[in-house]
Every structure is written in C-alpha cells, then in structure tokens.
C-alpha cells in the first residue's frame, strides 16, 4: 500500500486560500459541513489547516467581533503555525499511520510543497479492513510421502 493509492486528489478536496476573509472561510466550511479544511496560498502551496476553533478564537480575540468586521480579517492572520502539517508524497506508511491517529486527514504535498491532496483516516481504515480482491495468494503444493 502506498500513499498514492490512498490519496483524494486536490480536484476533489475543498480548500481555502489564505487571503480569504474569515467570513468567506466560515461560509465554505459550513457549505461542506467540515470541522477543519486545508488552506493554500495562491501559488498552490499548502500553508496550513484551519479549524472551527481557529475561526471561533479568531473572532473572539478581536475587539469588534461582528460578522461585518470579519469581512476584513484574512485567514493568514488566524492560522495556527504547525497545526496539521503536511507530509510529502514519499512518506512511509508507518508515518502516515502514526499521523492518522492524531489527525482526521493528512495533507499531502509534492517535493515543492504544492498541495496535491489529502489522505483521510477513514480511507486508511477502510483499506486496512477491506480485503483486497486483486491479490492472489499462491500456496505451495503440499509435500507428502509418495
């Protein structure tokens, strides 16, 4: 099993740009029903993951916490450093499994840091618990006395 076989590609993943406002981010989070979502810069590089809690604290920490005021605050101003760091495409399965115990999804980047997709905990568990129909087990002929 490798990370490519578990990857949900970027084209199928909802994400935000770091120059979105808090309001834009909350709207997209709500539409998709997520509790956390990847954040990219306009060059496509992964810059972090933002959670519902980040939005909440980002709003509450401001003097004016009206929704209108949130139209001026950019996501890059409330991102937590090193929250849900990405793995490279050549990550070991051991590290991927370890990370999946801590995170519901693991962002995956290429060697330039460009976001290429995510691996979800659910996908890993499903793959580990569903028998692979494509593997043929070859058993040796029984050895007996003739």
């Amino acid at each position: 099993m490798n990370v490519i076989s578990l990857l949900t590609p970027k084209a199928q993943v909802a994400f935000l740009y770091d120059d979105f406002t808090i309001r834009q981010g909350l709207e997209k989070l709500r539409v998709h029903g997520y509790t956390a979502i990847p954040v990219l810069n306009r060059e496509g590089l992964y810059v972090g993951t933002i959670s519902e809690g980040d939005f909440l604290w980002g709003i509450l920490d401001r003097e004016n916490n009206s929704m209108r005021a949130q139209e001026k605050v950019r996501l890059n101003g409330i991102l937590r450093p090193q929250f849900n760091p990405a793995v490279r495409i050549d990550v070991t399965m051991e590290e991927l499994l370890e990370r999946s115990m801590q995170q519901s999804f693991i962002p995956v980047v290429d060697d330039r840091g460009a976001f290429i997709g995510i691996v979800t905990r659910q996908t890993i568990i499903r793959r580990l618990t569903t028998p692979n129909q494509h593997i043929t087990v070859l058993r040796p002929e029984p050895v007996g006395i003739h």
Side-chain angles (χ1 to χ4, degrees), residues 3-70:
V3 72
I4 294 290
S5 68
L6 300 170
L7 188 74
T8 302
K10 177 182 176 181
Q12 297 173 13
V13 175
F15 58 87
L16 304 172
Y17 287 111
D18 64 348
D19 62 354
F20 277 11
T21 65
I22 288 180
R23 183 174 181 158
Q24 289 172 310
L26 279 171
E27 287 171 356
K28 193 159 188 179
L29 200 68
R30 184 176 186 191
V31 164
H32 291 283
Y34 297 146
T35 57
I37 193 167
V39 180
L40 314 180
N41 66 19
R42 290 293 176 169
E43 289 76 43
L45 301 179
Y46 175 77
V47 295
T49 294
I50 195 160
S51 70
E52 290 173 321
D54 296 325
F55 283 108
L56 176 64
W57 292 114
I59 292 169
L60 292 178
D61 286 347
R62 306 227 176 291
E63 194 171 301
N64 180 353
N65 53 20
S66 72
M67 277 312 284
R68 183 157 307 272
Q70 305 320 309

Side-chain angles (χ1 to χ4, degrees), residues 7-139:
L7 188 74
T8 302
K10 177 182 176 181
Q12 297 173 13
V13 175
F15 58 87
L16 304 172
Y17 287 111
D18 64 348
D19 62 354
F20 277 11
T21 65
I22 288 180
R23 183 174 181 158
Q24 289 172 310
L26 279 171
E27 287 171 356
K28 193 159 188 179
L29 200 68
R30 184 176 186 191
V31 164
H32 291 283
Y34 297 146
T35 57
I37 193 167
V39 180
L40 314 180
N41 66 19
R42 290 293 176 169
E43 289 76 43
L45 301 179
Y46 175 77
V47 295
T49 294
I50 195 160
S51 70
E52 290 173 321
D54 296 325
F55 283 108
L56 176 64
W57 292 114
I59 292 169
L60 292 178
D61 286 347
R62 306 227 176 291
E63 194 171 301
N64 180 353
N65 53 20
S66 72
M67 277 312 284
R68 183 157 307 272
Q70 305 320 309
E71 293 173 359
K72 297 180 177 106
V73 181
R74 304 284 172 202
L75 296 183
N76 53 18
I78 64 169
L79 276 172
R80 283 183 286 161
Q82 295 304 309
F83 173 63
N84 201 15
V87 297
R88 285 177 36 125
I89 190 69
D90 58 359
V91 66
T92 64
M93 285 310 298
E94 290 78 17
E95 183 177 345
L96 196 63
L97 289 170
E98 182 66 33
R99 293 284 293 281
S100 73
M101 290 191 290
Q102 309 300 319
Q103 304 165 198
S104 61
F105 71 88
I106 301 105
V108 181
V109 297
D110 66 12
D111 58 353
R112 298 175 300 116
F115 180 74
I116 59 173
I118 63 171
V119 175
T120 65
R121 181 186 303 147
Q122 184 179 42
T123 301
I124 293 170
I125 292 170
R126 187 171 288 132
R127 184 63 55 88
L128 292 173
T129 59
T130 304
N132 190 340
Q133 302 299 326
H134 299 94
I135 295 177
T136 304
V137 178
L138 299 176
R139 292 187 170 84

